[in-house]
Amino acid sequence: MVEAIRPESGRTEFGRNGVPRVARSVYVTGIDRGDGRQAVELGVMELLTRRVDRVGVFRPLVHAADGQPAADHVVELLRTRYRLDLPVTELYGLSYEEAAELGAARGQDELVSTLVDRFRALERRCEAVLVLGTDYTATTIPDELAFNARLANEFGAQVLPVVGGRQKDRQSVVTEVLNAHRAYADLGCSILAMVANRVAPAAKQPVLRGLAGKLPVPAYAVPEEPALAAPTVGQLVEATGAEVLLGDAAGLARDVRGFVFGGAMLPTFLPALTEGALVVTPGDRADLLIGSLAAHAAGAPPIAGVLLTLAQHPGPDVLALADRLAPGTPVAVVHEGSWPTAAALTQLESRLSPANPRKAEIALGLFELHVDSTELTDRIELGRSDRVTPMMFEHALLERARSARKHIVLPEGAEERVLRAAEILLRRNICDLTLLGEPAAVRRKAAALSLTLPEPDDPAPAGDRARLRIVDPAASPLRRRFAELYAELRAHKGMTVELALDVVTDVSYFGTLMVQEGIADGMVSGAVHSTAATIRPAFEVIRTSPGASIVSSVFFMCLADKVLVYGDCAVNPDPDAQQLADIAIRSAETAAAFGVEPRVALLSYSTGSSGSGADVDKVRRATELVRERRPDLLVEGPVQYDAAVDPQVAATKLPGSPVAGRATVLIFPDLNTGNNTYKAVQRSAGAVAVGPVLQGLRKPVNDLSRGALVQDIVTTVAITAVQAQLPQEAGDE
C-alpha cells in the first residue's frame, strides 16, 4: 500500500515567475551522495514511458575516463531498458572536467547557457525528458544544490529532490526533507514532490507522520531494501580486478549478502556459511574451497561464490572437482591478501546497470510500492500519446493487473524462468502467486539463483506486498477434495476417486482444479510442459463459457505505433463458419478488454464480392453470422490483409468501409494462415507478439511457449490476471 503525505490544503507550488508551471521534464536531484536516487530515476522513467512515446534522458554533467566523457551507468540502463532511439552523444551535456574549464574561463552563465543549448537539442526530439542531476561525488562545483536548481529552472523542469535516509533517525530525515524543500523552493524551483529514500523500514511511518501538514507537495518515504543494496559477485570481481576461474553469467549475477572469511579448519568453518555469503579465503586452502562448494551442493545455505586471495591458483584437479560440485558457482582469485581485500569489499554497494536487469525490477517494485504513481503522474501533467507502442501496451497491462490484484497459480514452480518471473511479479505487486512444487526444493532453487521470494502465507506482508504460496500437490490437504471433484466431473469416462488421487498430483491438473474451485483466479503453464498438457485439464475441468462454442486464441501484435489483435493463430486448425464467427466475436471482446478498439476484419484471399469458392464462402458466411449476433460490432469480410490495414488499398477495394484500412482485429480463416502470418510479421516487421491468449474458457488459463523468456512469462501472467478481473458470464458457475 502506497502511503504519502499529501499537500497541505489550499497551498500550491509556483515557479519563480509566480505562475504554476506545466513541465514536460522532470529533474531528479539530491542534496548529498548516497541517497540511492537511481531507483527513483528509474521509477520516474517508468511513469513517463507509460504516458508518451518519445521520452529522453539527459545527464548535464558526467564523469570522464581518459579525458573523454564516460558512459554513465544509469543513462545506459535507461537507454537500454526503454529502447531509446536517440544519439548517445545527445544524452550528455559536458564532463565535469569540461564544465570546470568552461566555468573558469567564461563564467557560470556561459556554462549554464551551453548546457541549456544541449538540453534543448534533445528536448526538441522528445515529448518528455528525464534529467539526472549531479551526483555530489568528487566534483568541483562550489554550490552543487544551487547549480542543480538553476539548471532545473533554465530547463523549465519540475524538480524531484531525493533525500537519503540511510542510517539516520526519524527526526534527522524529517529535518533534511524540510530543509531540502525550502532550499529548492527558495531558489525558485517548481517542486514535484519530495522523496526520503533508503529510510529504515521501522522509521517509514514516523517520517511520514513527522512531515504531515508541513509541505505543499506530496512526500514519500521509501525504505531501505537489502536486495537492492547488495552488490553482485560480478560487481565485486570488477571492483577488485579479480580473475574468474569458474562460474557462469548467472553465477556472477548472484547477490552477495555477506562475507565469510576463512582461516579456521573445515569443521569450524562450515557452520559459519550463510545464504548468499561470499567466501574469502587464501588460495592455498583447497579444503575450504571444496568444503564450501560441497556444502552448497548438499543443500546447506547456498553461497554466492568463493574469492581466493594471495594470487594462489588451485591445481587443475581441485578446480575440476570444484566445477563438478557446484556448476556455475563463481570462483575467482585476487592478488591481495585477506585484509586489504576485506577493506575493499565492505565498501562496495550495488548499482543499477544494464548488466543486471533483475536489480532494476527490484528497484521498480520498491518505487511502485511506496510512491503513489498515479498521483505523481498527474502532477507531471502529461497527456497520453495517441500512439500505442509495445512498451506503452506492456506498461498499461501491468498497471491494469496491479490495480485489482488477482491470484495466479504457476504449476512449474521449480523452473528457473518461472522463478525469475515470479520474483518480478511479486516485487512489482502484479499478482499474488502460488508456485506448485515441493517447497524445500523450490526454496533451494530460488536461493541458488540468488532470488528473494517473500515468505509463504505471510499474514501481513510489509506494505501490502503481493503474497506467495508454495504447494506440493502430493502432500496438499486439497488432494482428496480435488480427487473427489475430478472423479465426479469425469465419471462418464470411468474415473474413480482412487484413480483421481494420482491424476490430481499432476501439477497441471492440480493448478487447473485450484482455478476451478476459486482458490486461484487463473493459471499459466507451458514453460516446460506441452500445450496439450496445459490445455487438456482446462477442457476437462473448466470447460467453455456458456456463450462460446470453442476455445480459441489471439496474439497481441505490438507494432511500432499500434497494437493489432490476430486470431486464431494457435488452437483451431480449420474452423467452420460458425466457429470462425465465434472466434471473431471473442477476439473483439478480448481486444476491447485490453484497450484496443475492435474493428474486425475476417481475412480471405479475396475482398468483398470479387472472389468465390468454398474458402471465401466460409468467411463470407462467418461475417454474416457476426453481424447477426453482434450488430454493434464494426466488421468487414471477406477482405484481404492489405485492404484491411492499408487505407490507400482500402480506398480502392472497399471504399466507404468503416473497417477496411483501419482494422484492429484480424481473423484468419485457418491455423495455417494465421500461424505463419503472425510469425512472418513478428520476424520481418520487428513486432512484439504477446500470446497466445486463450479465450472462451469460463476461467482464465494460458499457455506459454517452451522457449518463453522471463519477460514473456511476466506478460502472460499479467494478461491472465487482467482476464480474471473481467466479469464472468452469467451461468459460469
Side-chain angles (χ1 to χ4, degrees), residues 467-607:
R467 298 168 185 261
L468 170 69
R469 290 186 294 192
I470 304 176
V471 176
D472 181 359
S476 171
L478 293 170
R479 182 180 177 185
R480 166 64 63 169
R481 169 181 162 187
F482 285 176
E484 293 172 352
L485 173 62
Y486 185 71
E488 179 183 345
L489 291 171
R490 303 296 289 174
H492 63 289
K493 294 292 186 178
M495 182 58 60
T496 65
V497 173
E498 289 70 23
L499 292 173
L501 281 167
D502 289 333
V503 172
V504 302
T505 59
D506 178 280
V507 291
S508 296
Y509 277 93
F510 193 92
T512 303
L513 286 158
M514 286 183 66
V515 176
Q516 172 64 15
E517 288 294 274
I519 299 169
D521 299 304
M523 183 180 90
V524 174
S525 189
V528 293
H529 290 87
S530 67
T531 295
T534 299
I535 296 179
R536 185 188 300 115
F539 287 171
E540 294 178 2
V541 175
I542 294 177
R543 302 175 181 171
T544 58
S545 298
S549 62
I550 58 172
V551 173
S552 59
S553 72
V554 296
F555 279 89
F556 290 97
M557 300 300 293
C558 302
L559 303 173
D561 60 351
K562 59 186 173 183
V563 176
L564 301 177
V565 176
Y566 283 10
D568 173 8
C569 305
V571 178
N572 297 286
D574 189 18
D576 60 26
Q578 290 278 356
Q579 293 171 329
L580 199 61
D582 187 276
I583 292 170
I585 292 171
R586 292 283 162 178
S587 299
E589 291 171 349
T590 300
F594 286 88
V596 178
E597 182 181 354
R599 295 186 290 272
V600 185
L602 283 86
L603 303 175
S604 182
Y605 58 76
S606 71
T607 295

Side-chain angles (χ1 to χ4, degrees), residues 219-542:
Y220 308 103
V222 180
E224 178 83 275
E225 171 55 68
L228 191 58
T232 64
V233 177
Q235 288 172 333
L236 295 183
V237 164
E238 180 184 359
T240 58
E243 176 189 355
V244 177
L245 305 179
L246 296 175
D248 56 20
L252 292 170
R254 294 177 186 174
D255 287 344
V256 177
R257 303 175 189 174
F259 302 97
V260 177
F261 295 91
M265 298 303 292
L266 187 61
T268 305
F269 173 75
L270 287 177
L273 296 178
T274 57
E275 185 175 314
L278 182 72
V279 173
V280 183
T281 185
D284 59 359
R285 291 297 302 271
D287 59 330
L288 298 186
L289 168 62
I290 296 301
S292 300
L293 297 178
H296 176 103
I303 61 174
V306 180
L307 186 63
L308 305 174
T309 62
L310 299 172
Q312 294 288 319
H313 290 63
D317 292 342
V318 172
L319 282 179
L321 177 57
D323 195 26
R324 289 195 298 272
L325 282 171
T329 299
V331 176
V333 61
V334 294
H335 288 278
E336 290 79 10
S338 296
W339 175 251
T341 300
L345 294 177
T346 54
Q347 297 301 314
L348 292 173
E349 281 196 355
S350 179
R351 67 180 189 182
L352 300 178
S353 73
N356 197 339
R358 175 178 167 267
K359 294 285 189 184
E361 296 294 347
I362 293 173
L364 281 174
L366 192 67
F367 181 87
E368 291 165 343
L369 185 65
H370 298 284
V371 174
D372 189 332
S373 299
T374 301
E375 178 181 50
L376 205 58
T377 305
D378 289 345
R379 287 180 61 81
I380 299 172
E381 299 184 27
L382 284 172
R384 287 195 181 272
S385 172
D386 292 334
R387 300 175 64 195
V388 180
T389 66
M391 188 178 299
M392 293 170 69
F393 178 78
E394 179 185 320
H395 288 335
L397 180 63
L398 298 184
E399 277 188 281
R400 176 89 172 272
R402 193 184 295 112
S403 67
R405 206 166 68 216
K406 294 296 182 179
H407 185 162
I408 307 300
V409 57
L410 304 178
E412 299 151 325
E415 156 63 26
E416 177 177 340
R417 289 166 295 159
V418 171
L419 281 169
R420 292 189 183 279
E423 185 189 43
I424 294 171
L425 291 160
L426 294 166
R427 285 278 186 187
R428 301 192 64 183
N429 291 294
I430 294 167
C431 60
D432 297 326
L433 290 178
T434 290
L435 299 176
L436 298 186
E438 200 277 309
V442 172
R443 284 280 170 188
R444 281 197 302 271
K445 184 63 175 289
L449 295 170
S450 200
L451 304 179
T452 304
L453 300 177
E455 289 300 317
D457 298 315
D458 184 347
D464 193 30
R465 287 183 184 269
R467 298 168 185 261
L468 170 69
R469 290 186 294 192
I470 304 176
V471 176
D472 181 359
S476 171
L478 293 170
R479 182 180 177 185
R480 166 64 63 169
R481 169 181 162 187
F482 285 176
E484 293 172 352
L485 173 62
Y486 185 71
E488 179 183 345
L489 291 171
R490 303 296 289 174
H492 63 289
K493 294 292 186 178
M495 182 58 60
T496 65
V497 173
E498 289 70 23
L499 292 173
L501 281 167
D502 289 333
V503 172
V504 302
T505 59
D506 178 280
V507 291
S508 296
Y509 277 93
F510 193 92
T512 303
L513 286 158
M514 286 183 66
V515 176
Q516 172 64 15
E517 288 294 274
I519 299 169
D521 299 304
M523 183 180 90
V524 174
S525 189
V528 293
H529 290 87
S530 67
T531 295
T534 299
I535 296 179
R536 185 188 300 115
F539 287 171
E540 294 178 2
V541 175
I542 294 177

Side-chain angles (χ1 to χ4, degrees), residues 12 175 224 270 306 526 584 592 600 644 676 683 705:
T12 305
T175 300
E224 178 83 275
L270 287 177
V306 180
V600 185
N676 278 295
R683 299 299 179 185
S705 163

Side-chain angles (χ1 to χ4, degrees), residues 41 57-62 72 74-75 91-94 132-134:
E41 291 165 343
V57 58
F58 186 69
R59 173 77 83 181
L61 297 180
V62 64
D72 179 82
V74 179
V75 172
L91 308 183
Y92 300 101
L94 300 169
L132 313 180
T134 63

Side-chain angles (χ1 to χ4, degrees), residues 585-647:
I585 292 171
R586 292 283 162 178
S587 299
E589 291 171 349
T590 300
F594 286 88
V596 178
E597 182 181 354
R599 295 186 290 272
V600 185
L602 283 86
L603 303 175
S604 182
Y605 58 76
S606 71
T607 295
S609 58
S610 64
S612 61
D615 291 339
V616 179
D617 291 343
K618 177 180 79 170
V619 175
R620 185 174 290 116
R621 177 58 182 152
T623 305
E624 293 169 355
L625 290 171
V626 173
R627 286 173 175 153
E628 290 172 8
R629 291 169 56 185
R630 288 291 304 274
D632 57 308
L633 284 179
L634 294 177
V635 59
E636 191 67 73
V639 59
Q640 293 162 287
Y641 190 98
D642 58 348
V645 300
D646 189 317

Side-chain angles (χ1 to χ4, degrees), residues 66-243:
D66 299 324
Q68 298 295 323
D72 179 82
H73 63 96
V74 179
V75 172
E76 287 303 299
L77 169 65
L78 300 178
R79 188 175 68 85
T80 303
R81 182 181 179 88
Y82 297 100
R83 300 186 286 276
L84 303 186
D85 184 21
L86 295 162
V88 176
T89 54
E90 293 191 11
L91 308 183
Y92 300 101
L94 300 169
S95 71
Y96 282 97
E97 290 77 2
E98 290 172 329
E101 292 176 5
L102 182 58
R106 302 185 184 179
Q108 191 176 78
D109 286 349
E110 185 67 23
L111 169 60
V112 170
S113 178
T114 300
L115 293 174
V116 169
D117 287 344
R118 298 195 178 184
F119 171 77
R120 297 292 179 217
L122 175 68
E123 186 185 41
R124 284 191 287 270
R125 292 174 171 265
C126 305
E127 297 172 81
V129 180
L130 171 64
V131 186
L132 313 180
T134 63
D135 58 13
Y136 293 86
T137 303
T139 68
T140 56
I141 301 171
D143 187 344
E144 212 156 337
L145 188 151
F147 183 77
N148 282 299
R150 181 172 179 186
L151 286 184
N153 287 331
E154 299 293 350
F155 294 170
Q158 289 175 290
V159 176
L160 181 60
V162 180
V163 173
R166 190 182 188 207
Q167 298 179 344
K168 297 176 183 175
D169 61 29
R170 167 257 185 199
Q171 188 55 52
S172 297
V173 175
V174 169
T175 300
E176 289 193 14
V177 170
L178 295 175
N179 287 340
H181 178 272
R182 183 178 300 107
Y184 280 103
D186 288 348
L187 290 167
C189 295
S190 175
I191 300 175
L192 178 63
M194 299 295 299
V195 177
N197 196 35
R198 305 187 73 179
V199 174
K204 177 187 171 180
Q205 292 303 325
V207 165
L208 291 176
R209 287 194 295 269
L211 293 171
K214 298 178 181 178
L215 290 171
V217 297
Y220 308 103
V222 180
E224 178 83 275
E225 171 55 68
L228 191 58
T232 64
V233 177
Q235 288 172 333
L236 295 183
V237 164
E238 180 184 359
T240 58
E243 176 189 355

